Each structure stands twice: as C-alpha cells, then as structure tokens.
Amino acid sequence: MEHKRIERPGKQRDERVRRVRGSDAKGATTMHENRVFHFPGKARETRPAQGKGSVEAFHLAPHGWVPNNARLPVIVYRRALAPGAQDLARAFSERFEANGWPVRRFDGLFDYHHYHATAHEVLGVFAGTAELILGGPGGRVLRLRAGDALLLPAGTGHCLLSLAGGFRVAGGYPRGQQWDIRRGAPTPAELRIIQALPFPPTDPVDGEHGPLVEHWLAPA
C-alpha cells in the first residue's frame, strides 16, 4: 500500500492524526515507590538482540536540540503481536497493562519533531502502517506496521513522516509517569532527570524475559 507523505510538518496535517488536548503543558513525574522501578546506572554498549530475530535495539546520539538517551537504547519489536487474528488495540492494552506500562491513549502520532522528558513510552501499532523519523531532524527513518511495537526511552526524538491504512497506536507509560511534549533543548538539570528516569523491571511486551531486561536492565 502506498504511503501518504505529510507535507510541511507542523502546518499541514493529515486529518487522521489527531492532537491530544493539553499536549503543550509540561508533565509531572512521580518517583515514589521506587521498589517497582529500576534506576539506570552507567551506560555500556548495547549488544545486538539475541534469540528473537524480530527485535532490534540501537542507541541514538544527541542531535541538535534533541537529547535522545545516552544510557538506554530504542527497542523495536517486529510482529510483537500477530495482526489480523485478534483485536490488536485491546491485545496491546492488556499486554502493556499486565507488564506495568498501562495505555493512556489510542491515537495517531504528532507530525513534528518532539521528545518526552518526563516519561518513557511504548507504542503498539494496532492499525495501518507508518514511517517515523527517530532522533531528531535528519534522523533515522523507521517503518512500522500493525503488530509492531516501539519502546522509546525518555529524551528520544520522534516525528511522523508518512502513514497509510488508518495508522493508530496504543501508547503506554510507566505508572506514575506523565508524558509531556518538548520541542527545545533541555536544561542541564532536565537532562539529568531524563538520564535518571526510572522504569519498571518488566518488558512492556514480553514481561520478565523481554529485551528490556537485556538492553535496559542488565547494562545498568
């Protein structure tokens, strides 16, 4: 299916990409009950995904005003759930909820470059296909389709480039973390918060034995 490319991000937007009310307001992160979170420590080089060939993990370096995340890699789950055989929106919601990443929204994605400073984010694609740019302007182009999932550590730049087939995602976040929208460089204090932001000890897709355990938890 041919993708529809979005022209002039931030000005002309496909009507299927809906805004989230209050998205300009800064979010607040709750960090109590640390027993259910893991705090990242020293960074080390991420190893290639092992065992499960449908998983990709890669780091993104700081890029202009986009901080990305020096400690935690982006994780891409290819065919995290099999499309067509189930209600993907419900299936992603139940899976994320069970693993400590409850879904807060069922929606499209913003077609302008931004990042979240106060929350990590997992996206489960339950309809359509899309191309995203990760890492900020001129960054890495990633194609997603129904059944895929994407785990974005706080600070990771992302932007919708094109979409087709009624593209929609289920967006999940660690309990106690409220996502915000950032379109400018973080202050040194904000950058420290991004790098130290805790996360659940379970993978949003595969629970206790998923790639988060290997690529986020083990390197700490």
Side-chain angles (χ1 to χ4, degrees):
M1 181 178 295
E2 182 179 356
H3 285 259
K4 180 177 179 180
R5 191 163 296 275
I6 296 176
E7 302 294 338
R8 291 185 295 171
K11 293 185 179 180
Q12 294 182 352
R13 296 176 171 82
D14 189 286
E15 63 181 1
R16 291 172 294 176
V17 181
R18 293 179 290 145
R19 297 281 182 178
V20 177
R21 291 184 180 179
S23 62
D24 291 331
K26 291 185 177 180
T29 304
T30 302
M31 291 188 174
H32 60 284
E33 297 189 20
N34 291 335
R35 68 180 185 277
V36 300
F37 287 104
H38 169 75
F39 288 84
K42 294 182 179 179
R44 79 178 187 188
E45 183 177 355
T46 300
R47 294 175 290 166
Q50 300 293 328
K52 189 174 181 180
S54 60
V55 174
E56 307 166 32
F58 52 87
H59 278 95
L60 292 171
H63 182 73
W65 56 268
V66 180
N68 293 311
N69 197 301
R71 296 180 184 274
L72 305 176
V74 172
I75 299 178
V76 185
Y77 308 74
R78 298 296 184 188
R79 293 181 64 86
L81 296 177
Q86 56 189 314
D87 180 343
L88 284 181
R90 179 176 180 179
F92 272 122
S93 181
E94 291 176 349
R95 183 73 63 89
F96 293 168
E97 173 73 30
N99 291 322
W101 295 75
V103 169
R104 302 276 183 81
R105 64 188 186 91
F106 297 91
D107 209 337
L109 295 179
F110 296 118
D111 59 353
Y112 53 82
H113 293 281
H114 67 286
Y115 64 91
H116 307 306
T118 57
H120 304 296
E121 179 177 50
V122 62
L123 303 172
V125 182
F126 64 84
T129 61
E131 289 182 327
L132 311 184
I133 302 176
L134 301 182
R140 180 167 180 162
V141 175
L142 180 73
R143 176 171 291 187
L144 297 174
R145 63 185 66 248
D148 292 346
L150 176 65
L151 180 57
L152 298 173
T156 302
H158 50 295
C159 170
L160 180 66
L161 178 63
S162 67
L163 77 169
F167 176 73
R168 286 290 183 272
V169 299
Y173 308 85
R175 290 187 178 91
Q177 293 184 8
Q178 176 62 48
W179 60 277
D180 59 356
I181 298 291
R182 298 295 180 93
R183 302 187 67 187
T187 66
E190 290 172 336
L191 187 58
R192 287 192 294 270
I193 291 174
I194 290 172
Q195 299 295 344
L197 197 65
F199 53 86
T202 48
D203 185 272
V205 175
D206 295 323
E208 295 180 355
H209 304 289
L212 176 146
V213 177
E214 176 183 358
H215 296 287
W216 284 25
L217 192 61

